[in-house]
Amino acid sequence: MMNSRKFSMLIASVLGVFILLNIVLWQGYTKDIFYGQDAHGDLKRMGGVYVPPSQTKPVKYTTEHYEFPEVMDNLEAIQADVLTIGDSFSNGTGGNYYQDYLCSTYGWKILNVPSRPYNNALQMMYSLQETGLLAKIKPKVIILESLAANMEERFGSDKMQIYTLSLSGLKQAQNQGKISTKTKNEISADKLAPGIMIKSNLEVVKTLIHHQRHPQDYRINDKVGLLNLSQPLFSNEGWEDKLLVHLPDSNVHFSEQTIKNINNNINAAAELCREQGIVLVFMPVANKADVYYPYIKDVPPDWQVNKTMQELDALPKDYLLVNTEQILQQSLTEGDPAAVKDLFWLDDLHFSWKAQQIISDDLAQKLKDVL
């Protein structure tokens, strides 16, 4: 019969082996998945899969645009011709801000407003209007951005509900999103919590087991898929003809009425802007799977071409639509093969700086008579 001392030693031994195995797995494999140096890698972290680094490195622009949380108490001193409002694609995720490219290349003066607290660019524009801040900023152009897959929940209702937000509430929401430089410097792989390490290792093990049991399944898990391409469109060694996608944003289709609602709601916002001498631009960010859809070698049987952007483009509108899907697909078809590799990061759902520049140049041409 096992006494309490032996039982305690057994438990301690099991825990010791468990912790040791987790440390070995973390240091030898998982750490490279969950801590990259290139400011991208969402998909490899969500999928728990190692992806060789891209040969295309992020570029660093000189920070020239203004961030709203940093200047919101002194807007009268800010001369911004362009106001950008959006989700992570507008807020620097993926390596840098496209706004800084526009500032440095075309001389635009840009103020970026994160969509806190609603993560909805249209709601934020109305909040700026209601609190009187839009009148203080006095932009010539407002650019609303949203991931295309999220347009229905953000802009697709039959009657847009506008939430009331006080000036103090808006500023509080913006302040809560700020991370100080000191805090950023304190976040590092060396200070990893054991719980995070174990959870990350578990995701990796689950991925390996799933791949062994279902080697033909393109779904790594319920969040990430891996597809084969008909030609090499990425520079990651051994993965040049692979496509990692975020499954919740893939194979997303909207009804005809939803697309009409989106257009109507953006048109209503455009009317409000026009009354104040502002040009409204709507820039839906094309879903990664849709951009590369023509190059997917084995399209999953339940997938179909998404025509949302084309259908939205065909509707009468009082705003300027930037069809990012069409712009990037045209670049893939007509551009230099080496230049169009890595328009998105393979291991992430965000654009690389290459796509940012291509879209920004197109946008600058469309607005050359305004700015």
Side-chain angles (χ1 to χ4, degrees), residues 255-269:
S255 69
E256 181 180 353
Q257 186 58 52
T258 294
I259 296 170
K260 287 181 179 179
N261 290 344
I262 293 169
N263 190 62
N264 290 339
N265 288 324
I266 303 297
N267 270 338

Side-chain angles (χ1 to χ4, degrees), residues 89-103:
F89 285 84
S90 277
N91 297 323
T93 306
N96 48 41
Y97 287 85
Y98 79 93
Q99 294 92 331
D100 288 326
Y101 174 76
L102 286 168
C103 288

Side-chain angles (χ1 to χ4, degrees), residues 70-191:
E70 307 299 331
V71 300
M72 60 187 177
D73 293 322
N74 193 27
L75 289 175
E76 292 84 352
I78 303 302
Q79 296 179 334
D81 296 324
V82 180
L83 188 63
T84 60
I85 312 174
D87 53 31
S88 59
F89 285 84
S90 277
N91 297 323
T93 306
N96 48 41
Y97 287 85
Y98 79 93
Q99 294 92 331
D100 288 326
Y101 174 76
L102 286 168
C103 288
S104 59
T105 306
Y106 297 99
W108 293 5
K109 296 179 180 178
I110 300 177
L111 173 63
N112 180 58
V113 184
S115 299
R116 295 188 287 263
Y118 303 119
N119 197 24
N120 184 318
L122 194 52
Q123 290 286 357
M124 177 53 69
M125 193 202 81
Y126 283 122
S127 294
L128 293 174
Q129 167 71 13
E130 291 178 3
T131 55
L133 294 179
L134 190 60
K136 287 186 177 183
I137 300 168
K138 299 177 182 177
K140 296 178 181 178
V141 175
I142 295 178
I143 301 173
L144 302 180
E145 176 273 321
S146 171
L147 181 64
N150 298 134
M151 289 193 300
E152 180 175 25
E153 63 191 71
R154 293 172 179 171
F155 318 125
S157 59
D158 182 51
K159 186 175 181 181
M160 191 79 182
Q161 181 179 0
I162 307 303
Y163 298 101
T164 301
L165 188 66
S166 67
L167 179 59
S168 60
L170 187 152
K171 290 185 175 182
Q172 183 180 9
Q174 291 290 319
N175 275 321
Q176 287 175 346
K178 290 195 295 185
I179 300 178
S180 68
T181 302
K182 179 181 178 182
T183 302
K184 288 180 180 179
N185 292 337
E186 289 174 352
I187 299 174
S188 69
D190 296 332
K191 298 181 179 180

Side-chain angles (χ1 to χ4, degrees), residues 337-349:
V340 298
K341 281 188 176 182
D342 307 314
L343 292 184
F344 284 77
W345 300 113
L346 171 65
D347 61 8
D348 204 283
L349 57 86

